[in-house]
Amino acid sequence: MNRERICVIVPTYNNSGTIADVLSRIYKVTQNIIVVNDGSDDDTHRILQNIAFPLTVVEYNHNRGKGYALKCGFKKALSMGFLNAVTIDSDGQHFPEDIPLLIDAYCEHPGSLIIGVRNLCEDNMPSGNTFANKFSNFWFTVQTLVKLDDTQSGYRLYPISRIKKSWIFTSRYEAELELLVFSAWHDIDIRQVGVRVYYPSPEERVTHFRPGYDFFRISILNTMLCMGALFYYLPKLIYKWLKC
């Protein structure tokens, strides 16, 4: 990870019950950890202050959304000299022990964006997540002509030195879709690798996803991206084909 200048970015919002365990497991893989506390109003700040090992913490007072947190994390990582970043959720859904799988895939395909693909048939997987993922996968293919199995996975390795900050123009969950689409449009290779996933039972689950509101936002974004595909990406592909 040091050779490829890879860090791990952990955006977190009100996951005080899991953040310490997630960070301790990441630390067994790498010491290059950046936590973005996205305005948590639970015990997250205190827990981060009491972590026994070194890590970099970016914090602000009010919740701004995952897209904003990622933008802050990327900016901080670049300022520290990192060129690539693994992003992992702080709710315990992802297995930090699978980080080497993403690293190995990146080493096989340098400069690529690597997606950790979840098993969508896993026990306790919310049915709404499965539908939303299929919906997102379909529109991503329409917008990029690239087929992916899990466009909503937040477990990724980004080549952050190749990503422009203007590619994140929304502040919440849908920013991760933007990053995939703009990466495809700008010729960043996107690769997939299978990873494990853990979903707690419904009574234990902590989620900040608001099905109606967030699905509406994603639908609006998909409309905009389809327009971009029609008037930007398709002409670009035609030009490249004619040039060849």
Side-chain angles (χ1 to χ4, degrees):
M1 292 185 71
N2 289 332
R3 187 189 69 217
E4 300 294 342
R5 299 187 190 179
I6 302 172
C7 67
V8 177
I9 296 175
V10 187
T12 187
Y13 174 60
N14 286 355
N15 285 125
S16 59
T18 53
I19 183 67
D21 177 65
V22 170
L23 291 176
S24 66
R25 291 161 64 190
I26 295 173
Y27 190 72
K28 293 177 181 178
V29 180
T30 179
Q31 298 180 18
N32 303 330
I33 307 173
I34 299 173
V35 181
V36 182
N37 182 7
D38 183 24
S40 298
D41 53 18
D42 60 1
D43 273 349
T44 296
H45 173 77
R46 180 186 61 80
I47 291 170
L48 293 176
Q49 293 296 309
N50 292 325
I51 293 291
F53 46 85
L55 51 82
T56 299
V57 178
V58 177
E59 293 185 293
Y60 37 88
N61 292 330
H62 302 290
N63 176 246
R64 304 288 295 272
K66 192 173 186 182
Y68 186 85
L70 288 174
K71 185 181 288 189
C72 290
F74 291 172
K75 180 179 179 181
K76 185 64 176 179
L78 289 168
S79 73
M80 295 172 66
F82 294 108
L83 302 179
N84 306 284
V86 172
T87 58
I88 181 171
D89 292 344
S90 63
D91 59 2
Q93 173 193 145
H94 303 145
F95 285 69
E97 296 79 9
D98 286 344
I99 290 175
L101 298 177
L102 278 71
I103 305 301
D104 289 345
Y106 180 82
C107 289
E108 291 181 16
H109 308 282
S112 297
L113 192 162
I114 310 298
I115 300 177
V117 177
R118 302 164 296 175
N119 176 7
L120 298 180
C121 298
E122 194 73 31
D123 291 343
N124 293 325
M125 169 68 82
S127 58
N129 286 32
T130 303
F131 169 77
N133 201 41
K134 290 179 178 178
F135 179 86
S136 180
N137 293 349
F138 170 78
W139 285 110
F140 177 79
T141 301
V142 170
Q143 294 151 5
T144 65
L145 304 182
V146 176
K147 181 174 174 52
L148 294 177
D149 298 321
D150 191 1
T151 53
Q152 292 199 322
S153 172
Y155 203 0
R156 303 176 180 179
L157 190 158
Y158 290 99
I160 57 174
S161 61
R162 301 182 63 190
I163 291 175
K164 299 182 183 300
K165 60 182 181 181
S166 61
W167 293 2
I168 304 178
F169 57 86
T170 60
S171 61
R172 299 199 175 273
Y173 289 99
E174 62 270 23
E176 292 179 308
L177 177 60
E178 294 168 15
L179 285 167
L180 285 184
V181 172
F182 281 111
S183 294
W185 286 358
H186 290 85
D187 301 320
I188 294 178
D189 190 25
I190 301 175
R191 298 281 175 165
Q192 305 183 112
V193 61
V195 296
R196 292 171 291 175
V197 63
Y198 168 72
Y199 275 102
S201 59
E203 58 272 14
E204 298 175 349
R205 187 175 302 140
V206 177
T207 179
H208 307 296
F209 186 77
R210 299 157 295 179
Y213 179 67
D214 287 331
F215 188 76
F216 173 75
R217 290 172 61 94
I218 292 171
S219 297
I220 295 296
L221 175 63
N222 274 316
T223 300
M224 296 171 60
L225 292 174
C226 284
M227 295 294 290
L230 182 63
F231 294 107
Y232 168 74
Y233 189 54
L234 183 59
K236 178 181 177 180
L237 290 179
I238 294 173
Y239 174 76
K240 288 174 64 175
W241 179 75
L242 292 174
K243 193 174 180 180
C244 292

